[in-house]
Amino acid sequence: MLNFHIITLFPESISAYLSSSILGRAQKNKKISVSFYNPRDYTDDPHRRVDSIPYGGGPGMVLEPVSFLKAAQAAAGRKRNVEFIFFTPSGRQFDNKIAQEYADKATNSKNFHMIMLCGRYEGIDARVPEILNAKPFSIGPYVLSGGELPAAVLVDAISRRLPGVLGDDLSIEERRVASSKVYTRPETLKWKGKEYKVPEVLKSGNHKKIELWRKENSKY
Ligand code: SAM
């Protein structure tokens, strides 16, 4: 089983997504597990504050190291096969190849644990990833408000590659000729006085021609 441990101040921001549809089913079927750890539960601060002003000055607050380290420690326990990950726009660009590598690691070990640290504000104190030897990942060349969406992206992209998570192995996009342009009923869509038809070739039953059309129309 692949166990995701998400360290975040805002678990509610992604918990619904992670328990819906394919990912919800993957949890029920014990292909994956998803647990949340809130650093606020690991601080001694009476107001449960976990951020503080940055050394060197500047706007924005930095997330203090100790509560994140304690939360990471709680997630890791005495487990084996643990990998730490954190999110930053300057990290390694996450892609399908990395997703497959993690899916393979999980498939090849009885229990594999990915502990993901989600930043907020100006980010997490830099000593945390250093101490945990956490790998930095970015999900794209833009800045988000937090690491929760990146965590959900990794959970989704990796989980769908685990055997048995998608009904059919061919559902994984790169294992077949897939097009971004897909159609379903009705054959002729009438919308605001105009008619929009499904491409004839997709109704032809000629698989070679359909594949060729999909190759030629694989992207918008
Ligand atoms: N200056 C910070 C840095 O370079 O990490 C950016 C802080 S950003 C406002 C807040 C948090 O959102 C980051 O700590 C990171 O966890 C997450 N984040 C924002 N954009 C991201 C991206 N493109 N990929 C991965 N994580 C991102």
Side-chain angles (χ1 to χ4, degrees):
M1 171 144 74
L2 176 47
N3 306 278
F4 296 100
H5 306 266
I6 304 176
I7 297 176
T8 168
L9 300 176
F10 302 103
E12 69 284 359
S13 63
I14 51 169
S15 54
Y17 183 83
L18 296 178
S19 48
S20 308
S21 185
I22 290 169
L23 297 176
R25 210 163 48 237
Q27 289 190 65
K28 272 197 198 115
N29 293 339
K30 307 249 179 290
K31 302 286 179 192
I32 64 168
S33 75
V34 179
S35 330
F36 291 102
Y37 305 78
N38 193 329
R40 291 191 204 283
D41 296 335
Y42 299 89
T43 177
D44 294 332
D45 185 275
H47 305 293
R48 301 177 84 221
R49 273 196 81 150
V50 292
D51 59 335
S52 194
I53 52 170
Y55 278 106
M61 301 296 267
V62 173
L63 294 166
E64 288 173 354
V66 173
S67 55
F68 274 76
L69 286 169
K70 283 186 178 169
Q73 197 173 280
R78 299 172 139 284
K79 298 178 181 80
R80 288 160 33 153
N81 300 323
V82 172
E83 198 148 312
F84 292 96
I85 280 168
F86 76 107
F87 301 107
T88 162
S90 62
R92 180 178 172 201
Q93 170 69 56
F94 185 78
D95 59 17
N96 270 339
K97 190 167 166 276
I98 303 170
Q100 189 61 51
E101 282 166 14
Y102 279 118
D104 290 343
K105 276 189 193 181
T107 308
N108 295 331
S109 55
K110 197 169 168 227
N111 261 310
F112 186 68
H113 300 273
M114 296 182 72
I115 302 182
M116 303 175 167
L117 297 119
C118 304
R120 277 270 161 175
Y121 320 127
E122 283 299 298
I124 304 169
D125 186 304
R127 290 165 291 186
V128 172
E130 188 186 323
I131 291 167
L132 298 174
N133 194 19
K135 295 198 171 118
F137 282 115
S138 163
I139 60 157
Y142 37 76
V143 179
L144 301 164
S145 308
E148 290 77 13
L149 287 176
V153 165
L154 262 72
V155 172
D156 191 334
I158 296 167
S159 300
R160 54 188 281 112
R161 289 168 177 279
L162 296 172
V165 166
L166 295 181
D168 183 343
D169 198 45
L170 282 178
S171 300
I172 294 177
E173 307 273 326
E174 324 84 83
R175 300 193 187 150
R176 64 193 156 100
V177 181
S179 169
S180 299
K181 291 184 189 167
V182 291
Y183 300 85
T184 185
R185 278 172 242 196
E187 246 179 74
T188 302
L189 170 67
K190 291 180 184 157
W191 187 253
K192 295 192 175 174
K194 278 190 173 178
E195 287 194 350
Y196 302 84
K197 291 188 185 304
V198 171
E200 280 301 318
V201 61
L202 298 181
K203 298 183 291 175
S204 69
N206 184 326
H207 295 296
K208 272 198 176 154
K209 281 190 179 165
I210 292 173
E211 256 193 27
L212 187 66
W213 183 93
R214 284 183 172 153
K215 267 185 198 153
E216 289 168 354
N217 290 274
S218 61
K219 286 183 186 151
Y220 274 101

